[in-house]
Amino acid sequence: MEACLAVLEVEEAQAQPALERVYTPVIRALFRIPDTLARIRARLASEDASMKLTGFLPRMPEGIVDRELIARSAVASAFFANLE
C-alpha cells in the first residue's frame, strides 16, 4: 500500500506544473452600467422633453479597433440602465 501511495504522490507532483498555465482573457474597456446610469441621470436633468433611446447613447470614440463590440456594449448598457 505504501509503495502505491508513493507512486501516486510522485505522479501528482509531476502533474502540478502543467496546471500553472491558465488562460486569462483580455479585459476590454466596455461601457459600464453605473457610468451609463450617471450619464442618463445627467441627461434627464438637462432635458425637458422625452428622448429616444439613441439620445442616451454615448459618443463612440474615433479610431477604435472593436467598433462593433463597443457599439453593442453602449446599446446594452443604455438599455439596461433605462430599465433601472
Side-chain angles (χ1 to χ4, degrees):
M1 279 281 229
E2 289 181 26
C4 183
L5 181 60
V7 169
L8 291 175
E9 287 175 348
V10 169
E11 288 177 0
E12 184 179 324
Q14 292 173 349
Q16 289 295 72
L19 296 176
E20 291 178 10
R21 286 185 27 200
V22 176
Y23 172 72
T24 307
V26 176
I27 298 174
R28 300 177 191 265
L30 301 176
F31 291 101
R32 298 179 49 232
I33 303 292
D35 299 336
T36 305
L37 279 170
R39 184 176 57 252
I40 289 173
R41 286 184 184 125
R43 190 76 187 243
L44 286 173
S46 67
E47 296 289 328
D48 292 331
S50 62
M51 296 179 63
K52 294 182 180 179
L53 178 62
T54 56
F56 296 107
L57 293 176
R59 292 196 174 135
M60 295 295 293
E62 294 296 324
I64 54 175
V65 178
D66 292 334
R67 188 169 184 80
E68 184 178 332
L69 176 68
I70 301 297
R72 285 193 319 242
S73 167
V75 170
S77 67
F79 180 73
F80 186 81
N82 278 308
L83 292 176
E84 289 280 324

